[in-house]
Amino acid sequence: MTQITEQALANGICPLLGLPTPLNIDQLLVHFAGTRQEAIAYEHRLNDIRSWVSQFAAQRGLLTLDFYTPLLSTDHMVGDANLLLDGGHPTHLGYRLLGEALVKQLTGKLHWSGY
C-alpha cells in the first residue's frame, strides 16, 4: 500500500484509502471453515490494518474512507448480522448504507491540491 500510494502521489493522483468492514464472528463461522480462535485472530489482524491505514493516511494528509463504522451493530461491538451477508461482506442493504455514508464522508472533500 505504501508503494502504490507513493506512486499515485508522484503521478498527481490522490489515493483514497479504505478501512476494512467489521466482522460478525458468529455469522462468519457459519459460512467459513475455521475455529473461533482463528476468526478472532483474523478480526484482530483487521483491527491492526485499520489502525495502520488510519495512521498512514493521517501522516500523509490523505482521506480515509470508513467502511467499518456504518456496518457495526447498534452496540458498536460487532458487525451487524443484518448488514453482513456472511459475517464480513455487506448485504445489498449494507452496501446501500455504505454508499450513503461515503457520500457524506466525501462531500466537500474532493478538492485536492497535491500536484
Side-chain angles (χ1 to χ4, degrees):
M1 187 176 292
T2 302
Q3 188 176 23
I4 291 170
T5 299
E6 290 172 359
Q7 285 181 322
L9 292 168
N11 286 288
I13 299 167
C14 179
L16 302 174
L17 307 180
L19 301 180
T21 61
L23 297 180
N24 182 301
I25 290 178
D26 290 332
Q27 189 182 26
L28 187 71
L29 291 172
V30 171
H31 296 280
F32 296 101
T35 66
R36 179 170 293 279
Q37 185 177 7
E38 291 170 327
I40 290 169
Y42 182 62
E43 181 178 43
H44 288 301
R45 182 68 182 127
L46 284 175
N47 284 332
D48 291 344
I49 291 169
R50 287 182 199 101
S51 293
W52 183 87
V53 168
S54 295
Q55 291 172 358
F56 178 80
Q59 290 170 347
R60 287 160 179 77
L62 301 174
L63 188 59
T64 303
L65 301 177
D66 184 0
F67 294 102
Y68 177 73
T69 305
L71 298 179
L72 286 175
S73 62
T74 54
D75 63 6
H76 293 12
M77 298 301 292
V78 299
D80 187 329
N82 296 312
L83 302 176
L84 298 171
L85 185 62
D86 56 9
H89 298 94
T91 61
H92 290 290
L93 175 59
Y95 277 116
R96 185 168 46 119
L97 293 176
L98 282 177
E100 291 169 2
L102 294 179
V103 166
K104 289 178 186 176
Q105 291 176 51
L106 292 171
T107 299
K109 296 181 182 175
L110 293 179
H111 174 70
W112 184 64
S113 60
Y115 54 93

